[in-house]
Amino acid sequence: MLSVMSELLRWLDPIADIRSDASRLFVSGARGAAAFVPRGFPDVLARHRAARGGHREAMLSELSTAGWPKSACLGEEEKRLDACQTCSVRLSKLWLHRGQCLLCETKLRSRGRCPYGGARCSRSFCPHDSRCIVCEQWSCERCRLLRGDGEDVWQIAAQHQPDVIFLDFDRTLCTTKAGASPLSGNHSLDSDLVALCGMHQRVYIVTRNSRSEDIAFFLRQHGISARLKEEQAHASEASGLRGNVEVRSIKREGFRSKVNFVLQLLADSMGGSEATGLFVDDDIKELTEDCEALREVLASGRLLRLLFVRSGGKE
Ligand SMILES: [Zn+2]
Ligand SMILES: [Zn+2]
Ligand SMILES: [Zn+2]
Ligand SMILES: [Zn+2]
C-alpha cells in the first residue's frame, strides 16, 4: 500500500503540470488497465502476485481432498453466492475467479484449455506451463512467445541479437489507435523502442495502418532514420538521424497477414540463410496467425514473438 501511495504522490506533480501541448503521460485502455504509462512507472503489483503464487498449489490439493470449506458456501439466503460457469457449484466470490471455481479452473488447464478465454485462446495457451499468455500475463520461451514492455523488448534484443526486428506501430511503438495518423493529435513513442530503432541495424515497422508516409515522417521527427520501401536510405550521418527503419504497410502491399510478411522477409534476408527475427505486436492475433506456416521458424528458434504490454498494464 505504501509503495502505491508513494507512486501516486510521485506522479501527481507531473500530472498537475501537464499542458495541452505536452506529450502524453498516461493513456487508459478499454479493458480496465492502463495502455500507456510513462518511463519509470513500476509494476506495483509484482510482489503481491509472487506471494499469492507461492501458496496456490497447497490450497488446490487441500480443496480437492477436503472439499470446499464451509465459509465458501455461506450466504445462500442473502443470494451472495455465484455459480461456477462450468460445474455450477455455488460459492462466495472469493472461490471463483472470472466465473470458474478453482477446481474447474485447474481441470480446464490440465486439458490444455484457457479457463477464461476458452477456444478463443487456443493459440495463446502455453502447453508447457498450462497458462494463457493473454489472460494470465504469461511468457514461454519454448512457445517462442513472450510478454513484455519496451524495456523487455530492449533486453531481449540485446540477449538474442536478432538480425531483424519487426515492430507493430499502433499501440506498440506509438500511442496511435489503429489506422490513425501519428501527425494528428498529440502522440508519443515508446522511449525504449525508439532507442532500439536508433541502434539496431535492421528494423521493419509492420503495420496495417496505411499511413506509412506519415509514420516515416513522424519517426524522422523523433530522430529515427525511417523510410518507405521504395525510398533510398537517408544518409544518416549527414541528416543526424539514427538507425535503419523501413515502414511497411502490409495492407497496401497485399500481404495476407503480418506473419506472412515476417516469414517472407526472413526467407529473403541474408540470401535465405539462417536470419533470425524478433516480432513485437500488441495484438495476439497478429503474432499467432498462420500458425502452420510459423511452425518451422519457431521450432528452429529463428523467430521469437513478443506480445507488447506496456508496464503498468501487466495486471
Ligand atoms: Zn466449477
Ligand atoms: Zn486466455
Ligand atoms: Zn509454452
Ligand atoms: Zn498494434
Side-chain angles (χ1 to χ4, degrees), residues 104-122:
C104 286
E105 181 199 320
T106 311
K107 232 178 278 167
L108 286 165
R109 259 183 228 295
S110 67
R111 290 183 198 144
R113 285 178 66 101
C114 169
Y116 311 120
R120 178 163 55 83
C121 297
S122 59

Side-chain angles (χ1 to χ4, degrees), residues 225-294:
S225 173
R227 63 183 189 282
L228 304 181
K229 183 189 175 193
E230 55 276 8
E231 287 175 341
Q232 289 296 313
H234 291 253
S236 13
E237 267 145 51
S239 61
L241 300 173
R242 289 168 296 115
N244 174 27
V245 175
E246 209 173 287
V247 180
R248 304 288 293 264
S249 165
I250 62 156
K251 251 207 274 188
R252 275 166 64 168
E253 294 183 41
F255 284 95
R256 173 172 86 232
S257 64
K258 289 190 185 178
V259 163
N260 183 228
F261 174 85
V262 166
L263 291 176
Q264 194 151 323
L265 243 293
L266 278 183
D268 294 348
S269 295
M270 304 169 75
S273 66
E274 305 288 286
T276 56
L278 172 63
F279 174 21
V280 181
D281 204 297
D282 68 320
D283 184 348
I284 189 71
K285 272 198 266 158
E286 301 288 10
L287 295 169
T288 56
E289 219 161 3
D290 279 332
C291 52
E292 283 304 314
L294 269 175

Side-chain angles (χ1 to χ4, degrees), residues 58-68 103:
M59 176 186 68
L60 287 172
S61 72
E62 178 73 20
L63 283 180
S64 54
T65 52
W68 301 104
L103 292 176

